[in-house]
Amino acid sequence: MTAPIRAEFDLDYGEFRLNVDLVLPGSGVSVLFGHSGSGKTTLLRCIAGLQKSSSGFLQINGEVWQDSERGLFLPTHQRSLGYVFQEANLFPHLSVKGNLQFGLKRTGQAGVDLTHILELLGIDHLLARMPDALSGGERQRVAIARALALNPKVLLMDEPLAALDFKRKQEILPYLSRLHRELKIPVVYVTHSQQEVAQLADHLVIMANGRVLAAGPLAETQSRLDMPLAQDREAATVWQGLIQSHESDYHLTRVETAAGSLSLAALPAAAGTPLRLQIQARDVSIALEKPAATSILNVLPATVTGLAAECDGLCVVGLQVGPLPLLAHVSQKSAVVLGLKTGMLVYAQIKGTSILN
């Protein structure tokens, strides 16, 4: 297994203080999530060496970049990293090809073969274009390619979709999903978008006021009842699935998950195709007995793992379905009528899911 990322920072920044002690996986996408001012970007800048903390330790896959006890601090240009900002920041006087080659020339890697990166991000046909002839999504894809061209040991992404409108975000998300599947280096990705968390994250870090509230695998961290994500009206749980078969007569697709089989609206993909499924908490209802007759096709046995009351009559219910966690939002009256308690055996009715990639 690839060695992890270890980051410890204690930084006073005016009225703001960043104080974190964090271990991230050495591969996959780790998402830093939180509202504006939570410390996400400051933490990313510390990893990049753009912000220096008085007390800090940083190790990326076995290589120490900062150790304040030994007086070690590698400046940014000595750190093997790629950094993608909110704005693409392409050189306006250079073509796409020129932008990609600029950094390579400065690092002495001008002869690097970019074929795979160009294909991965779908920009091979854009090489001759100037930046002002690109859409926002295309510019950001070029910026990501420029960062990857340096063959970094870690890719840092600071809300790369924040400056894009909805249409452009939908344009670029499939390419980010491809990166998620195919990159062999760790990615640390900053966002305050739950959609991006659901679609891209393997590991989730929830931040507030310069501190880490929770960190861990996506599904587990998403479904913690004491975290704001679970209590949000858009709360959801992400499951991994595999297409099992198609029921063409009913325009349905059967998807196998670790918790059981689900019926979804027909998908144009072959059996064996992996999927990420986003299950909205509001689309999960609870029954004490297995329904004898119901229009809901997905009914799975579950165990109640916890309950949290919220304002406006909402009750957040934590469930365990096989080995997988699941969230349900029901009314407080429903929770009382059903007598829901931790440890109770129930049935989770899943009304619909979103296919993320």
Side-chain angles (χ1 to χ4, degrees):
M1 179 179 290
T2 311
I5 297 172
R6 180 64 187 261
E8 300 175 35
F9 297 110
D10 191 351
L11 169 68
D12 282 311
Y13 191 58
E15 297 181 355
F16 175 80
R17 182 181 181 185
L18 178 75
N19 187 268
V20 299
D21 185 347
L22 190 61
V23 175
L24 301 176
S27 60
V29 179
S30 294
V31 169
L32 307 181
F33 176 85
H35 296 298
S36 296
S38 61
K40 309 182 302 296
T41 294
T42 302
L43 174 54
L44 203 71
R45 287 174 60 83
C46 285
I47 294 173
L50 296 171
Q51 193 88 43
K52 186 176 181 179
S53 63
S54 55
S55 174
F57 178 86
L58 176 64
Q59 180 174 288
I60 304 290
N61 288 343
E63 185 175 307
V64 178
W65 289 359
Q66 179 175 350
D67 187 345
S68 57
E69 291 188 1
R70 292 193 291 141
L72 172 65
F73 180 86
L74 291 184
T76 301
H77 69 273
Q78 292 182 14
R79 302 185 182 200
S80 178
L81 60 86
Y83 201 118
V84 181
F85 298 86
Q86 292 184 20
E87 300 288 346
N89 295 323
L90 303 180
F91 294 110
H93 62 289
L94 296 178
S95 67
V96 168
K97 184 176 182 180
N99 269 278
L100 294 178
Q101 291 179 334
F102 181 83
L104 294 179
K105 291 177 182 177
R106 295 192 63 177
T107 58
Q109 302 182 59
V112 171
D113 184 4
L114 300 178
T115 303
H116 179 63
I117 294 173
L118 297 176
E119 292 177 353
L120 194 62
L121 289 160
I123 60 172
D124 46 332
H125 64 294
L126 302 175
L127 291 178
R129 290 195 195 175
M130 302 301 289
D132 62 2
L134 303 176
S135 71
E138 288 170 340
R139 284 194 295 271
Q140 202 64 318
R141 280 188 275 154
V142 173
I144 295 169
R146 185 174 59 183
L148 290 175
L150 300 175
N151 193 29
K153 292 185 177 179
V154 61
L155 178 63
L156 309 178
M157 307 184 78
D158 187 5
E159 301 203 61
L161 306 186
L164 303 178
D165 59 27
F166 178 80
K167 182 178 180 181
R168 299 309 177 197
K169 287 181 182 180
Q170 302 313 304
E171 169 194 323
I172 197 173
L173 271 169
Y175 293 101
L176 292 180
S177 295
R178 290 184 67 186
L179 290 178
H180 165 271
R181 292 193 299 269
E182 298 187 31
L183 279 186
K184 304 303 180 185
I185 60 171
V187 178
V188 184
Y189 188 104
V190 166
T191 187
H192 60 266
S193 164
Q194 290 207 48
Q195 180 190 15
E196 292 168 43
V197 169
Q199 187 147 350
L200 302 172
D202 298 303
H203 192 87
L204 179 60
V205 179
I206 302 175
M207 297 188 65
N209 302 317
R211 296 178 179 273
V212 173
L213 298 181
L218 174 62
E220 294 176 15
T221 310
Q222 265 188 322
S223 56
R224 281 187 52 171
L225 298 187
D226 59 336
M227 288 295 109
L229 273 178
Q231 299 166 6
D232 192 279
R233 292 290 178 172
E234 298 301 315
T237 313
V238 173
W239 287 1
Q240 304 290 334
L242 203 68
I243 291 182
Q244 185 180 42
S245 62
H246 298 283
E247 297 182 69
S248 55
D249 290 347
Y250 298 106
H251 302 283
L252 295 173
T253 294
R254 297 290 294 176
V255 175
E256 192 64 34
T257 75
S261 185
L262 300 175
S263 283
L264 309 178
L267 299 170
T273 301
L275 299 169
R276 282 165 74 98
L277 311 176
Q278 180 176 226
I279 305 174
Q280 299 285 343
R282 62 173 179 261
D283 288 336
V284 179
S285 59
I286 297 172
L288 298 184
E289 298 178 359
K290 188 173 184 178
T294 175
S295 63
I296 299 174
L297 297 176
N298 303 311
V299 181
L300 299 173
T303 303
V304 176
T305 57
L307 299 97
E310 264 299 297
C311 60
D312 301 325
L314 177 68
C315 182
V316 185
V317 184
L319 300 168
Q320 189 75 19
V321 188
L324 301 180
L326 182 65
L327 288 176
H329 282 181
V330 303
S331 69
Q332 289 184 14
K333 181 176 180 179
S334 294
V336 171
V337 170
L338 293 175
L340 296 181
K341 296 179 181 179
T342 299
M344 180 179 288
L345 301 180
V346 297
Y347 287 89
Q349 302 182 109
I350 303 173
K351 293 182 283 187
T353 58
S354 300
I355 308 303
L356 294 167
N357 64 342

